[in-house]
Amino acid sequence: MKQAAIVYWSKTGNTEKVAFAIKEGLETAEVKVTLKRAEEADDIDYYDYDLICIGSPSYQWSPPKPLTDFLMGKFIHYRTQERVKLGAPKIPDKNVLIFCTYSGPHTGINEAIPVGKYIGQFFEHLGFTIVDEWYILSEFHGSEDASTIGRMGDIRGKPDQEDLGKIKEKTRELVGRL
Ligand SMILES: Cc1cc2nc3c(=O)[nH]c(=O)nc-3n(C[C@H](O)[C@H](O)[C@H](O)COP(=O)(O)O)c2cc1C
């Protein structure tokens, strides 16, 4: 694997921290990385990369609207180019890693999984293979209750250095598998 792009949306910084940990992991594995916030990624061509890493928080167990708008805009663009084919045949060496940060105050990881599955569909329809979905427990900035007495307990400070170190290591392992 030679080229990867990381595209993410982040309001309070958690998803951004994970994006940078993934970047470090990819670079350790000697992969060339392009990192962009979704707001600046309209010009990206997914097909230029062997691996797309796409990151989102969970907002009401969905991706936030700006990210959905971004994904839909790209999808419509590729559909007009007739890249969306019935049966979604897989294109070799076109892989996607999905990462979602969430706080899970009510139902835990079930508040994040729909985000990963939904984002995955935009890429599977384009012939990409979803190689993994990572759900990263993260502080709910701006809500102390959701960060201390929700389903996941005290999650203040997450993702912390240990979490980010693990992500970096998992990224390196992922590159080894592709
Ligand atoms: C408006 C809003 C809605 C949220 N809804 C959920 C939710 O339904 N489930 C959940 O697990 N976390 C929810 N969260 C918490 C965020 O998903 C979590 O803190 C995430 O890591 C934020 O990412 P960011 O720091 O990259 O913006 C919500 C946060 C905000 C601000």
Side-chain angles (χ1 to χ4, degrees), residues 10-15 57-58 60-61 101 103-104 111 138-140:
S10 181
K11 178 87 169 180
T12 64
N14 297 333
T15 313
S58 168
Q60 267 76 48
W61 53 94
T101 68
S103 303
E111 300 182 51
S138 302
E139 179 172 350
F140 196 138

Side-chain angles (χ1 to χ4, degrees), residues 95 97 131-132 134 170-178:
N95 296 308
L97 166 67
V131 288
D132 222 335
W134 293 349
K170 263 171 65 168
T171 306
R172 226 178 42 78
E173 285 167 14
L174 177 74
V175 173
R177 277 196 272 133
L178 296 179

Side-chain angles (χ1 to χ4, degrees), residues 8-16 37 39 57 59 64 66 101 141:
Y8 66 96
W9 190 90
S10 181
K11 178 87 169 180
T12 64
N14 297 333
T15 313
E16 181 159 71
R37 300 183 65 93
E39 299 92 313
Y59 272 22
T101 68
H141 297 284

